[in-house]
């Protein structure tokens, strides 16, 4: 599958940014809720450090995932679909070729 | 002030361990409460990462502070007094010389 040098029209880029931002808001809202729940359930220092480790991992993942970069957008959208932060129909408006590639990547 | 090679009798060591453990329980209980409160007040990802940074610092501090080591105990008790995790009268039973040294360090 050819994924390098995929061109994005300005309309597609706008759609991508909107969808990307939406997924980001969903994921961080869920993360903040999860951290609140975990923090409220902490009963030992060990559990507190487990929360710290969890935040270290999530911070690293989120910092890496949500850099808007056309070259990796196809992969990121596939990842966001697999993780449930996006639904496939939210990619409407992207060229069918891009949608096909994203869909294929979600099955890998 | 001569602080190296201070000898601890077995009775003093037992008192020190008890007091040390008590301060530790107080500090981590307060920390867990603080983390719960901070987590419940989080309204943005930036604040979530601030909580992560806070935990990184506190973990480092606590891991370092609560290693029970006779050679550094005088310093650690002075620190715990300054931070409010111990009261001076809880050191009753330690040799007066040790109490004097600890008290002197709290004023530094």
């Amino acid at each position: 599958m050819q994924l390098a040098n995929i061109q994005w029209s300005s309309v597609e880029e706008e759609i991508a940014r909107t969808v990307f931002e939406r997924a980001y808001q969903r994921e961080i809202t869920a993360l903040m809720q999860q951290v609140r729940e975990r923090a409220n359930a902490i009963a030992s220092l060990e559990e507190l450090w487990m929360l710290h480790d969890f935040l270290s991992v999530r911070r690293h993942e989120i910092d890496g995932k949500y850099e808007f970069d056309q070259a990796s957008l196809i992969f990121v959208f596939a990842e966001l679909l697999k993780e449930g932060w996006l639904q496939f129909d939210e990619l409407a408006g992207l060229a069918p070729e891009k949608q096909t590639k994203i869909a294929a990547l979600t099955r890998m």
Side-chain angles (χ1 to χ4, degrees), chain A:
Chain A
M1 183 164 25
Q2 177 61 41
L3 288 172
N5 302 318
I6 292 175
Q7 299 301 309
W8 294 73
S9 70
S10 59
V11 171
E12 282 183 317
E13 181 169 333
E14 198 176 319
I15 293 168
R17 283 192 187 276
T18 302
V19 171
F20 196 71
E21 175 66 21
R22 204 186 294 155
Y24 173 76
Q25 290 300 333
R26 286 173 186 159
E27 183 164 4
I28 69 169
T29 300
L31 175 61
M32 290 189 290
Q33 179 59 27
Q34 201 179 358
V35 169
R36 276 191 289 274
E37 287 168 9
R38 286 183 73 139
N40 286 321
I42 283 167
S44 68
L45 197 64
E46 189 187 5
E47 287 173 7
L48 187 62
W49 298 158
M50 283 168 65
L51 175 64
H52 176 243
D53 291 337
F54 170 77
L55 282 171
S56 300
V57 171
R58 300 298 285 121
R59 187 174 191 170
H60 182 73
E61 284 172 356
I62 287 179
D63 280 353
K65 191 161 61 173
Y66 288 103
E67 288 226 10
F68 190 91
D69 169 16
Q70 284 194 0
S72 57
L73 216 40
I74 294 283
F75 294 99
V76 175
F77 279 145
E79 185 73 13
L80 293 171
L81 286 166
K82 281 202 273 189
E83 292 173 358
W85 303 117
L86 286 183
Q87 299 301 314
F88 195 77
D89 59 12
E90 296 182 89
L91 301 178
L94 300 186
E97 181 198 34
K98 289 188 183 67
Q99 295 193 37
T100 303
K101 284 174 174 168
I102 294 168
L105 283 170
T106 64
R107 292 188 293 270
M108 283 181 187

